[in-house]
């Protein structure tokens, strides 16, 4: 083999290595949280915390954030703070009677997903939602910086950042368009025809068509048996005409026994929640990619089936996550002033591997953790992995350290000055 051919082969190997490494990197998530849900009457019911109050909600990706009238008081909605959904004052894609629009305040799902000041409709009155045992409906607004994966068979949603779960295959994906009102417009193929409905987790059936679309389709496909459709958020469903569809494919996954049904309550045709009976769905809001594959196409790794609990050890520099910070130091999602309620002072070091002063400081911090064992707990937060935590507290320069006395707010220090840290610990944490 001559030198030129050897160089070409080495170059090809390097390209292949970089490509494989790139794919692997795209599946390494800084946050993965698995949250179980329940279904009532086929609706996905998730638990969320609004303004410090926990309640159940229906997940409706083609709806809006919307609350029952009694939720205004129970969830501490600030009625003095009117909000707006932009240029429209009603549901964008459905006919649902509403009153006013307020801001939610803080909305949290699980330990890692939250938003502030989201607008919410107040519903006129929807007894069916009350019968489901929920306070209202939530749309995709809270997931807009994450990847939402819905597994109807296992009754779990998985929230990841910044990429999809590793078991969702790259060749089972397509682009989608995110339109006003956070509607997810995706494509579905029916024989030689491609249509673009909005993804919906409320409406029954596979494809629900507006009157106009149904009349157009009825010239293309044969009539099927009448099917029940949801009318707004009402309990009573009504039977409507349906159409039997030939070969139907959604993101390379074949849908057997597909049908489309007329739904006069819709303002836009939708892909209904029956889709979730055929496979696992992942929605990457940031990159506007949608993944869909059969349930058992790829085994779900144990590492992505449950979240490892972080445990702290006295006398050590403990790496912690945002979730640990929320549970053990301060839950800033409540909107309250910072008050640390632990029984021992803490020091939190925000650092990164690329930060030279941070790396030189870590051995000193390990020494301090050992020195104050039994008196002060020491933690470190990787700023590259916990961007949300850094963003909330305005951490921009590294290293940044929080010295937090019991029952008080943090004393913030920027820069690697360990001699100063001792003084703060002695005079303000252990006074």
């Amino acid at each position: 083999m001559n030198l030129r051919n050897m160089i070409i082969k080495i170059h090809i190997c390097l390209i292949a290595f970089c490509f494989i490494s790139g794919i692997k990197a795209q599946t390494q998530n800084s946050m993965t949280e698995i949250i179980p849900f329940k279904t009532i009457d086929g609706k996905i019911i998730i638990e969320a915390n609004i303004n410090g109050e926990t309640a159940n909600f229906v997940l409706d990706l083609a709806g809006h954030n919307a609350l029952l009238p009694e939720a205004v008081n129970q969830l501490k909605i600030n009625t003095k703070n009117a909000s707006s959904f932009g240029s429209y004052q009603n549901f964008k894609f459905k006919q649902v009677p509403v009153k006013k629009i307020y801001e939610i305040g803080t909305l949290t799902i699980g330990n890692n997903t939250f938003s502030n000041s989201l607008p919410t409709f107040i519903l006129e009155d929807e007894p069916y939602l009350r019968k489901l045992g929920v306070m209202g409906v939530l749309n995709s607004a809270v997931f807009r910086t994450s990847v939402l994966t819905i597994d109807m068979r296992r009754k779990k949603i998985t929230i990841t950042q910044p990429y999809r779960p590793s078991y969702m295959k790259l060749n089972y994906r397509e682009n989608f368009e995110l339109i006003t009102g956070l509607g997810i417009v995706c494509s579905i193929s029916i024989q030689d025809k491609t249509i673009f409905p909005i993804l919906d987790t409320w409406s029954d059936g596979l494809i629900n068509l507006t009157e106009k679309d149904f009349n157009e389709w009825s010239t293309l496909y044969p009539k099927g048996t009448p099917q029940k459709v949801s009318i707004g958020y009402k309990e009573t469903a009504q039977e409507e005409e349906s159409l039997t569809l030939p070969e139907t494919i959604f993101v390379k996954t074949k849908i057997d026994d597909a049908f489309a049904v007329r739904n006069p309550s819709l303002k836009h045709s939708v892909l209904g929640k029956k889709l979730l009976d055929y496979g696992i769905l992942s929605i990457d809001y940031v990159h506007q990619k949608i993944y869909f594959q059969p349930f058992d196409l790829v085994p779900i790794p144990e590492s992505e089936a449950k979240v490892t609990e972080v445990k702290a050890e006295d006398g050590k520099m403990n790496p912690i996550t945002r979730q640990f910070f929320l549970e053990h130091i301060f839950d800033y999602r409540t909107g309250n002033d910072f008050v640390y309620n632990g029984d021992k002072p803490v020091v939190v070091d925000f650092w990164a591997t690329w930060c030279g002063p941070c790396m030189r400081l870590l051995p000193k911090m390990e020494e301090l953790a050992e020195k104050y064992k039994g008196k002060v707990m020491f933690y470190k937060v990787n700023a590259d992995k916990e961007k949300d935590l850094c963003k909330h507290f305005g951490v921009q320069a590294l290293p940044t350290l929080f010295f937090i006395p019991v029952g008080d707010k943090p004393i913030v220090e920027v820069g690697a000055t360990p001699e100063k840290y001792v003084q703060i610990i002695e005079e303000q944490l252990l006074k």
Side-chain angles (χ1 to χ4, degrees):
M1 181 185 298
N2 60 38
L3 180 61
R4 182 173 179 273
N5 289 337
M6 182 180 297
I7 292 173
I8 291 173
K9 287 196 172 185
I10 292 173
H11 185 63
I12 292 172
C13 290
L14 287 172
I15 292 173
F17 175 77
C18 292
F19 176 74
I20 293 170
S21 299
I23 291 176
K24 184 177 180 181
Q26 287 187 3
T27 63
Q28 298 301 308
N29 287 308
S30 61
M31 185 273 285
T32 298
E33 185 169 16
I34 299 97
I35 301 173
F37 64 81
K38 59 184 177 180
T39 56
I40 302 177
D41 200 17
K43 308 296 189 290
I44 296 175
I45 311 295
I46 60 175
E47 186 179 87
N49 186 290
I50 290 181
N51 300 328
E53 301 293 327
T54 300
N56 288 328
F57 300 85
V58 177
L59 181 63
D60 180 13
L61 296 184
H64 292 289
N65 296 321
L67 303 176
L68 288 169
E70 61 266 28
V72 173
N73 290 328
Q74 294 185 35
L75 301 180
K76 303 175 183 176
I77 303 298
N78 184 0
T79 57
K80 296 179 181 179
N81 196 7
S83 190
S84 170
F85 273 108
S87 60
Y88 55 98
Q89 299 299 309
N90 291 291
F91 266 54
K92 180 73 174 177
F93 310 119
K94 298 176 180 176
Q95 296 175 11
V96 178
V98 297
K99 291 181 179 179
K100 298 181 179 180
I101 307 174
Y102 297 122
E103 285 188 359
I104 279 180
T106 60
L107 168 62
T108 305
I109 297 174
N111 293 305
N112 295 284
T113 304
F114 80 108
S115 287
N116 293 323
S117 305
L118 288 175
T120 179
F121 281 115
I122 305 303
L123 300 167
E124 285 281 357
D125 192 26
E126 297 293 350
Y128 178 50
L129 293 178
R130 199 173 290 114
K131 186 174 180 179
L132 292 176
V134 301
M135 279 289 180
V137 297
L138 298 179
N139 75 344
S140 56
V142 73
F143 304 110
R144 60 192 169 192
T145 60
S146 306
V147 181
L148 171 65
T149 301
I150 305 175
D151 187 339
M152 184 64 85
R153 178 179 290 182
R154 299 173 181 87
K155 297 290 190 296
K156 291 179 180 178
I157 63 172
T158 300
I159 306 169
T160 53
Q161 290 179 353
Y163 306 114
R164 79 203 189 284
S166 66
Y167 53 84
M168 299 302 294
K169 304 296 289 181
L170 279 174
N171 57 333
Y172 279 77
R173 74 172 178 181
E174 289 183 357
N175 297 328
F176 71 82
E177 181 185 1
L178 195 62
I179 61 175
T180 303
L182 290 180
I184 299 166
V185 180
C186 47
S187 63
I188 185 168
S189 300
I190 302 168
Q191 213 164 33
D192 57 350
K193 181 181 177 67
T194 300
I195 63 164
F196 299 91
I198 289 176
L199 189 63
D200 188 359
T201 51
W202 173 276
S203 296
D204 297 315
L206 182 66
I207 300 176
N208 281 227
L209 300 173
T210 62
E211 289 277 3
K212 178 182 177 181
D213 287 347
F214 186 87
N215 291 336
E216 179 184 336
W217 283 35
S218 62
T219 63
L220 302 174
Y221 307 113
K223 293 285 182 69
T225 56
Q227 302 288 335
K228 287 186 177 181
V229 297
S230 303
I231 305 299
Y233 290 148
K234 306 296 182 184
E235 178 178 9
T236 55
Q238 62 188 48
E239 286 197 343
E240 293 287 341
E241 288 184 286
S242 74
L243 302 172
T244 300
L245 304 179
E247 181 176 321
T248 303
I249 297 176
F250 180 67
V251 193
K252 297 187 179 179
T253 299
K254 184 178 179 182
I255 308 295
D256 295 321
D257 304 320
F259 64 89
V261 61
R262 172 168 45 199
N263 191 331
S265 74
L266 295 177
K267 300 178 183 178
H268 194 295
S269 294
V270 303
L271 189 58
K273 61 185 174 63
K274 187 170 179 58
L275 173 73
L276 300 175
D277 293 339
Y278 291 94
I280 303 175
L281 176 75
S282 277
I283 308 165
D284 184 340
Y285 289 93
V286 175
H287 304 100
Q288 294 193 24
K289 304 289 184 183
I290 191 165
Y291 302 79
F292 187 74
Q293 65 192 40
F295 289 105
D296 298 321
L297 179 68
V298 176
I300 298 178
E302 183 68 20
S303 61
E304 295 186 68
K306 61 182 181 180
V307 179
T308 303
E309 182 181 354
V310 177
K311 294 183 179 180
E313 184 179 351
D314 194 11
K316 298 290 185 180
M317 197 66 180
N318 298 281
I320 62 170
T321 62
R322 173 179 174 272
Q323 179 179 344
F324 185 95
F325 191 99
L326 293 172
E327 291 178 353
H328 300 279
I329 300 176
F330 173 62
D331 188 347
Y332 51 83
R333 301 168 302 181
T334 62
N336 299 325
D337 291 336
F338 195 122
V339 175
Y340 170 56
N341 294 317
D343 58 2
K344 192 181 296 183
V346 300
V347 176
V348 183
D349 179 5
F350 291 84
W351 70 290
T353 54
W354 48 262
C355 168
C358 297
M359 300 305 291
R360 291 191 292 272
L361 179 63
L362 282 177
K364 297 290 186 180
M365 297 304 295
E366 293 282 2
E367 292 176 9
L368 291 178
E370 176 62 31
K371 177 179 179 179
Y372 292 104
K373 182 177 181 179
K375 298 178 180 179
V376 180
M377 291 297 295
F378 283 76
Y379 304 120
K380 59 182 178 180
V381 173
N382 189 318
D384 287 332
K385 292 184 177 181
E386 303 299 337
K387 296 182 185 298
D388 186 79
L389 196 58
C390 294
K391 180 181 177 181
H392 180 83
F393 289 108
V395 174
Q396 296 179 335
L398 299 178
T400 292
L401 286 93
F402 285 10
F403 297 84
I404 311 175
V406 175
D408 210 340
K409 299 177 181 180
I411 301 155
V412 181
E413 287 291 326
V414 179
T417 54
E419 61 282 353
K420 189 176 181 180
Y421 302 161
V422 172
Q423 182 180 359
I424 295 173
I425 293 170
E426 293 286 349
E427 296 180 1
Q428 300 192 60
L429 299 193
L430 299 178
K431 60 181 178 181

